[in-house]
Amino acid sequence: MRYAHEVGKVRAAEGVLMARLPEGTLMQRAAAGLAAVCARLLPRVYGADVVLLVGGGDNGGDALYAGARLARRGARVTAVPAGARTHRGGLAALRAAGGRVLDRLDGAAVSPSAAAAIEAADLIIDGLTGIGGTGGLREPHATLAVLASHATGVVVACDVPSGVDASSGRVDGVAVHADVTVTFGTYKPGLLIDPGAACCGVVELVDIGLGPDLPDPDVVAAWPVDVQPPEPRPESDKYRRGVVGILAGGEEFTGAAVLCTGGAVRGGAGMVRFASVERPVELVRRRWPEAVTTVLPPGVGGVKALERVGRVQAWVVGPGLGTGAEAESLLEAALGTDLPVLVDADGLTILARRRDLLRREAPTILTPHAGELGRILGVERELVEARRLEHVRRAAAELSATVLLKGSTTLVAEEDRPVRVNPTGTPRLATAGTGDVLSGLIGALLAGGMSALDAAAAGAYLHGLAARIAARGPVGDGTGHSSEAPISAGDVITALPDAFRAVS
């Protein structure tokens, strides 16, 4: 796992470590790691043009000391101080190594010499604000951030791109868009969560010795080895592997039924039991003959409907189900069991008016997008999007559920547990039906015996990985890079076996 800690915990750990070390040791460790990464990014260090954007905090000092190391290797290093304060020791080290320091930018305007240096640079180090920065960038920092983001040279952010809130990923206004972010000691949540994550490029972690002094993480992100879906054993049969029940689809939305069932079939369920009205049942039988189907006659809902379906180990309720009285009775019956239940789509719309249904002891997974979560919590979608970490935590606590917030960064939260950030996926997933596939997939993992948190996180990982596989396909562009093509929800289902193989 990649472990991320919020700023307060990082500062506390740094304080404990610095008390045991000679003064300045921690900054020198950070600068050495930063300089090493920058040297790898340059075709050659000698003769390279390097610009340092230097703020008044410790990140400005890290940038200056790293610049001094590069200058001693023959790079032409220019520092652009943004403000009245600059790290004195760092400035002295840079000058002693032969670096150049431009006049301070105390006002809103950026001098022509600073703009020209940024434009001509082979590499730019962003040391403007660092992990302590909150709120929007002020001038001249904002203009420098824009100039760096549009420059032709490689942009390396020091610890966190300036303008990104390190603890949450919020971006208020402009931010530096880095090609590489070199972060120190531990990951920060804002490096993993959009919109901040989109500003980071490749994130490189430099060990400066904080590990023993750090508490439990606030956010974690999985490596492939951390994703461990249930594996069948020699003695396994379809019942031991897990039976998932799906209540989805209606006369109006039949596709959701087919896609959700497909996600469960390809997600490793030993058996999928699907129930709905006649038309979606007919389509599921035709596309997925493996599924055991049940037609629910009009007027048959609630517990009686569940009894018709048969025994299951987990329920998936909601995709395309509708929001009327019969759909509500099915959701109420499923949540009234002592089995794990995943609620998606129309089921979430029902919960927005019936939050009382969530008063249960068994595991519950909710899989909203920002708009659905906003309706449940009574806040605007835009606010959820801007503060994803805050709202997924709030939802997990208020609703006593495992909450998977879908979006450009998918987050999975349970109360009093580190939030899990999904690192897979592609913008190509923003197409109708992919959420239905995800629901069926997670339902299969739940039925297979995974905990709610593990099933939701593993399902999101595999779903995102399958989308990448489907979008990239078997053919590259001949340059070693793969391009992506549009995909459908059905393509994600088809690619799921390859995704499982990739993590096995």
Side-chain angles (χ1 to χ4, degrees):
M1 289 284 190
R2 279 167 283 181
Y3 299 105
H5 295 79
E6 293 176 358
V7 171
K9 294 180 180 179
V10 176
R11 294 295 196 210
E14 287 176 342
V16 172
L17 180 57
M18 284 191 290
R20 301 197 300 266
L21 297 173
E23 185 177 355
T25 301
L26 215 57
M27 184 171 286
Q28 291 300 332
R29 289 179 180 178
L34 176 60
V37 173
C38 291
R40 292 201 307 269
L41 293 171
L42 290 166
R44 53 182 293 185
V45 177
Y46 188 85
D49 286 307
V50 176
V51 169
L52 318 176
L53 305 182
V54 182
D58 286 345
N59 276 39
D62 297 335
L64 288 166
Y65 280 118
R69 289 172 179 268
L70 296 172
R72 287 197 294 271
R73 294 178 60 178
R76 294 189 292 266
V77 182
T78 300
V80 180
R85 292 189 304 113
T86 310
H87 193 280
R88 289 184 179 180
L91 275 178
L94 179 64
R95 287 191 171 110
R100 181 169 67 120
V101 181
L102 300 184
D103 292 337
R104 297 180 190 276
L105 306 176
D106 294 330
V110 172
S111 66
S113 59
I118 294 168
E119 178 59 32
D122 299 306
L123 185 141
I124 301 161
I125 298 179
D126 162 33
L128 289 171
T129 57
I131 64 174
T134 57
L137 292 177
R138 295 185 293 272
E139 294 295 355
H141 298 67
T143 297
L144 290 172
V146 172
L147 289 172
S149 300
H150 290 88
T152 56
V154 177
V155 180
V156 180
C158 183
D159 220 1
V160 63
S162 297
V164 172
D165 187 294
S167 289
S168 68
R170 285 184 60 190
V171 176
D172 296 318
V174 302
V176 170
H177 285 258
D179 299 296
V180 177
T181 296
V182 180
T183 198
F184 309 124
T186 180
Y187 292 93
K188 286 76 184 177
L191 305 180
L192 304 175
I193 300 170
D194 279 337
C199 299
C200 294
V202 176
V203 179
E204 297 260 4
L205 176 64
V206 170
D207 183 6
I208 58 173
L210 288 187
D213 299 304
L214 286 167
D216 290 340
D218 299 289
V219 167
V220 298
W223 296 111
V225 70
D226 299 313
V227 182
Q228 299 182 351
E231 288 287 340
R233 301 179 179 275
E235 70 276 12
S236 293
D237 58 29
K238 60 189 175 186
Y239 299 105
R240 288 190 178 100
R241 290 190 64 191
V243 181
V244 57
I246 296 176
L247 302 170
E251 295 293 352
E252 188 174 358
F253 299 107
T254 55
V258 176
L259 294 168
C260 186
T261 302
V265 169
R266 292 281 171 82
M271 181 189 295
V272 179
R273 296 186 185 273
F274 174 81
S276 187
V277 293
E278 188 170 352
R279 179 60 176 156
V281 167
E282 176 188 343
L283 294 173
V284 168
R285 282 175 181 162
R286 187 180 305 166
R287 179 62 183 87
W288 303 108
E290 306 94 329
V292 177
T293 57
T294 301
V295 175
L296 299 177
V300 176
V303 175
K304 289 184 178 179
L306 268 56
E307 290 173 348
R308 282 174 169 260
V309 177
R311 289 189 60 186
V312 301
Q313 275 80 54
W315 287 103
V316 176
V317 187
L321 190 64
T323 59
E326 289 188 14
E328 184 173 322
S329 73
L330 290 173
L331 178 60
E332 184 171 7
L335 290 171
T337 69
D338 59 0
L339 297 173
V341 178
L342 181 147
V343 184
D344 185 30
D346 286 340
L348 297 169
T349 299
I350 295 169
L351 286 179
R353 65 176 187 256
R354 291 289 312 274
R355 281 178 51 166
D356 60 292
L357 297 180
L358 291 170
R359 298 190 192 114
R360 62 193 307 262
E361 296 299 322
T364 310
I365 298 178
L366 309 180
T367 57
H369 54 59
E372 290 165 334
L373 188 60
R375 287 196 293 274
I376 294 172
L377 296 179
V379 300
E380 294 296 323
R381 177 191 184 113
E382 291 74 19
L383 190 58
V384 175
E385 289 282 15
R387 303 182 181 185
R388 300 178 61 78
L389 185 59
E390 173 187 329
H391 286 93
V392 76
R393 282 175 170 159
R394 174 187 162 189
E398 285 188 14
L399 306 175
S400 299
T402 303
V403 181
L404 184 153
L405 176 57
K406 294 181 281 197
S408 57
T409 304
T410 292
L411 304 179
V412 184
E414 274 186 6
E415 190 173 14
D416 299 325
R417 300 286 296 275
V419 174
R420 300 204 185 181
V421 177
N422 182 51
T424 65
T426 163
R428 303 287 185 180
L429 268 173
T431 187
T434 55
D436 304 322
V437 177
L438 177 62
S439 295
L441 169 59
I442 297 174
L445 299 174
L446 267 182
M450 296 187 83
S451 70
L453 183 62
D454 287 340
Y461 191 102
L462 291 163
H463 183 255
L465 185 55
R468 287 186 184 175
I469 292 168
R472 291 174 183 173
V475 180
D477 60 6
T479 65
H481 303 287
S482 4
S483 54
E484 289 194 348
I487 57 174
S488 69
D491 295 325
V492 178
I493 296 173
T494 301
L496 277 174
D498 284 335
F500 274 83
R501 279 189 283 271
V503 301
S504 64

mmCIF file of all heavy atoms in Angstrom, residues 54-70:
data_model
loop_
_atom_site.group_PDB
_atom_site.id
_atom_site.type_symbol
_atom_site.label_atom_id
_atom_site.label_comp_id
_atom_site.label_asym_id
_atom_site.label_seq_id
_atom_site.Cartn_x
_atom_site.Cartn_y
_atom_site.Cartn_z
ATOM 1 N N VAL A 54 11.020 29.983 -5.871
ATOM 2 C CA VAL A 54 11.343 29.864 -4.456
ATOM 3 C C VAL A 54 10.388 30.702 -3.610
ATOM 4 O O VAL A 54 10.336 31.935 -3.739
ATOM 5 C CB VAL A 54 12.792 30.312 -4.193
ATOM 6 C CG1 VAL A 54 13.137 30.141 -2.719
ATOM 7 C CG2 VAL A 54 13.761 29.509 -5.059
ATOM 8 N N GLY A 55 9.619 30.022 -2.754
ATOM 9 C CA GLY A 55 8.780 30.710 -1.792
ATOM 10 C C GLY A 55 9.502 30.899 -0.473
ATOM 11 O O GLY A 55 10.691 30.601 -0.340
ATOM 12 N N GLY A 56 8.766 31.356 0.543
ATOM 13 C CA GLY A 56 9.386 31.680 1.817
ATOM 14 C C GLY A 56 9.446 30.534 2.798
ATOM 15 O O GLY A 56 10.030 30.683 3.878
ATOM 16 N N GLY A 57 8.863 29.372 2.478
ATOM 17 C CA GLY A 57 8.831 28.259 3.414
ATOM 18 C C GLY A 57 9.986 27.295 3.240
ATOM 19 O O GLY A 57 10.936 27.536 2.481
ATOM 20 N N ASP A 58 9.884 26.171 3.945
ATOM 21 C CA ASP A 58 10.945 25.165 3.883
ATOM 22 C C ASP A 58 11.083 24.560 2.495
ATOM 23 O O ASP A 58 12.183 24.143 2.111
ATOM 24 C CB ASP A 58 10.664 24.054 4.900
ATOM 25 C CG ASP A 58 10.934 24.513 6.327
ATOM 26 O OD1 ASP A 58 11.590 25.563 6.503
ATOM 27 O OD2 ASP A 58 10.484 23.827 7.266
ATOM 28 N N ASN A 59 9.986 24.504 1.738
ATOM 29 C CA ASN A 59 10.110 23.957 0.383
ATOM 30 C C ASN A 59 10.976 24.841 -0.497
ATOM 31 O O ASN A 59 11.666 24.351 -1.395
ATOM 32 C CB ASN A 59 8.719 23.778 -0.256
ATOM 33 C CG ASN A 59 8.092 22.463 0.154
ATOM 34 O OD1 ASN A 59 8.219 22.051 1.300
ATOM 35 N ND2 ASN A 59 7.435 21.802 -0.779
ATOM 36 N N GLY A 60 10.956 26.138 -0.229
ATOM 37 C CA GLY A 60 11.876 27.020 -0.933
ATOM 38 C C GLY A 60 13.320 26.687 -0.591
ATOM 39 O O GLY A 60 14.202 26.687 -1.462
ATOM 40 N N GLY A 61 13.570 26.369 0.679
ATOM 41 C CA GLY A 61 14.903 25.947 1.079
ATOM 42 C C GLY A 61 15.311 24.639 0.431
ATOM 43 O O GLY A 61 16.451 24.484 -0.033
ATOM 44 N N ASP A 62 14.379 23.671 0.379
ATOM 45 C CA ASP A 62 14.669 22.397 -0.298
ATOM 46 C C ASP A 62 15.076 22.645 -1.747
ATOM 47 O O ASP A 62 16.041 22.057 -2.248
ATOM 48 C CB ASP A 62 13.427 21.499 -0.281
ATOM 49 C CG ASP A 62 12.994 21.103 1.117
ATOM 50 O OD1 ASP A 62 13.838 21.086 2.027
ATOM 51 O OD2 ASP A 62 11.792 20.812 1.292
ATOM 52 N N ALA A 63 14.324 23.522 -2.431
ATOM 53 C CA ALA A 63 14.612 23.811 -3.838
ATOM 54 C C ALA A 63 15.985 24.465 -3.994
ATOM 55 O O ALA A 63 16.748 24.137 -4.914
ATOM 56 C CB ALA A 63 13.516 24.703 -4.422
ATOM 57 N N LEU A 64 16.317 25.391 -3.103
ATOM 58 C CA LEU A 64 17.601 26.083 -3.201
ATOM 59 C C LEU A 64 18.775 25.135 -2.972
ATOM 60 O O LEU A 64 19.772 25.165 -3.708
ATOM 61 C CB LEU A 64 17.649 27.231 -2.189
ATOM 62 C CG LEU A 64 16.768 28.442 -2.534
ATOM 63 C CD1 LEU A 64 16.607 29.352 -1.329
ATOM 64 C CD2 LEU A 64 17.360 29.218 -3.713
ATOM 65 N N TYR A 65 18.674 24.295 -1.959
ATOM 66 C CA TYR A 65 19.765 23.348 -1.701
ATOM 67 C C TYR A 65 19.878 22.319 -2.832
ATOM 68 O O TYR A 65 20.987 21.918 -3.212
ATOM 69 C CB TYR A 65 19.555 22.650 -0.367
ATOM 70 C CG TYR A 65 19.973 23.476 0.823
ATOM 71 C CD1 TYR A 65 19.044 23.858 1.794
ATOM 72 C CD2 TYR A 65 21.294 23.860 0.994
ATOM 73 C CE1 TYR A 65 19.422 24.611 2.895
ATOM 74 C CE2 TYR A 65 21.686 24.620 2.094
ATOM 75 C CZ TYR A 65 20.744 24.988 3.044
ATOM 76 O OH TYR A 65 21.134 25.745 4.130
ATOM 77 N N ALA A 66 18.739 21.882 -3.374
ATOM 78 C CA ALA A 66 18.787 20.975 -4.526
ATOM 79 C C ALA A 66 19.427 21.675 -5.718
ATOM 80 O O ALA A 66 20.227 21.080 -6.458
ATOM 81 C CB ALA A 66 17.377 20.489 -4.878
ATOM 82 N N GLY A 67 19.070 22.960 -5.921
ATOM 83 C CA GLY A 67 19.673 23.725 -7.010
ATOM 84 C C GLY A 67 21.169 23.850 -6.842
ATOM 85 O O GLY A 67 21.930 23.787 -7.830
ATOM 86 N N ALA A 68 21.626 24.025 -5.601
ATOM 87 C CA ALA A 68 23.068 24.120 -5.353
ATOM 88 C C ALA A 68 23.773 22.821 -5.747
ATOM 89 O O ALA A 68 24.864 22.844 -6.335
ATOM 90 C CB ALA A 68 23.325 24.437 -3.880
ATOM 91 N N ARG A 69 23.157 21.696 -5.448
ATOM 92 C CA ARG A 69 23.740 20.402 -5.829
ATOM 93 C C ARG A 69 23.841 20.273 -7.354
ATOM 94 O O ARG A 69 24.842 19.774 -7.885
ATOM 95 C CB ARG A 69 22.905 19.262 -5.245
ATOM 96 C CG ARG A 69 23.034 19.121 -3.736
ATOM 97 C CD ARG A 69 22.039 18.097 -3.182
ATOM 98 N NE ARG A 69 22.195 17.951 -1.740
ATOM 99 C CZ ARG A 69 22.978 17.043 -1.138
ATOM 100 N NH1 ARG A 69 23.657 16.173 -1.895
ATOM 101 N NH2 ARG A 69 23.063 16.973 0.163
ATOM 102 N N LEU A 70 22.800 20.707 -8.048
ATOM 103 C CA LEU A 70 22.833 20.645 -9.516
ATOM 104 C C LEU A 70 23.852 21.619 -10.085
ATOM 105 O O LEU A 70 24.538 21.321 -11.080
ATOM 106 C CB LEU A 70 21.436 20.930 -10.076
ATOM 107 C CG LEU A 70 20.346 19.905 -9.715
ATOM 108 C CD1 LEU A 70 18.979 20.402 -10.164
ATOM 109 C CD2 LEU A 70 20.651 18.547 -10.327
#
